[in-house]
Amino acid sequence: MSTERRLGVMNAARTATVPYVASVDAARRVPMVGVLRALLLVEAAATLVLSVALSLIAAAFRDSMGGEAGRAAEETFRFAAAGAFGFAIVAVVASRGARRRRTWAWTLAAILQVVLAIGTGIVVMTAEWHPLFLIGFAGAIVVMVVLSTASVRRALGQA
């Protein structure tokens, strides 16, 4: 019996080594996918902050208005806060999928931008106008431009 066998060393471990090739990793890197991931994470962080702000506003409305009107206003703002929080979670999932080059990440990111544009449109129609509302539309436009680049579409299996 050999010494290796007595010590429990497996032969397969020695033959399974593959040399590291840096050019394969460099060819897989797509800078625009990194930009897409960063934009999705920025959207997630912004909507998380929005969710907290809407929750604080809901509590303020409840306390200031009181009664049935205060509860109705609170429910409306809490519903919007929950939607913003859900958006943040899905944006992080889309970012993770883009990192791992999943084909569904492209579709999910595009759907998120449509949801963002629709949500911003609803806010524009229901609230008093403020130029900050344009940030929602601008974010959706920038992410859609990045999603439509050939390198991102190819990396995420859409081309």
Side-chain angles (χ1 to χ4, degrees), residues 24 30 32 34 37 49 58 79 92 103 110 113 126 153:
V24 172
V30 180
M32 290 302 284
R37 290 189 64 234
V49 168
F79 181 75
V92 170
T103 56
Q113 302 323 301
T126 58
R153 292 187 68 200

Side-chain angles (χ1 to χ4, degrees), residues 52-62 73-74 77:
V52 170
L54 287 173
S55 292
L56 293 173
I57 290 170
F61 267 107
R62 180 194 62 221
E74 179 187 16
F77 277 98

Side-chain angles (χ1 to χ4, degrees), residues 59-148:
F61 267 107
R62 180 194 62 221
D63 294 340
S64 68
M65 294 175 84
E68 189 62 35
R71 276 192 293 266
E74 179 187 16
E75 286 177 6
T76 302
F77 277 98
R78 296 247 186 239
F79 181 75
F85 186 74
F87 185 94
I89 291 171
V90 175
V92 170
V93 169
S95 174
R96 180 71 175 181
R99 179 180 180 268
R100 295 186 174 262
R101 306 289 196 275
R102 304 289 191 237
T103 56
W104 52 262
W106 189 92
T107 306
L108 185 59
I111 290 171
L112 279 175
Q113 302 323 301
V114 171
V115 168
L116 177 61
I118 290 171
T120 304
I122 290 170
V123 170
V124 166
M125 289 188 294
T126 58
E128 187 177 329
W129 168 253
H130 196 279
L132 285 176
F133 295 156
L134 294 175
I135 293 173
F137 291 123
I141 290 169
V142 169
V143 173
M144 286 305 290
V145 167
V146 171
L147 278 172
S148 66

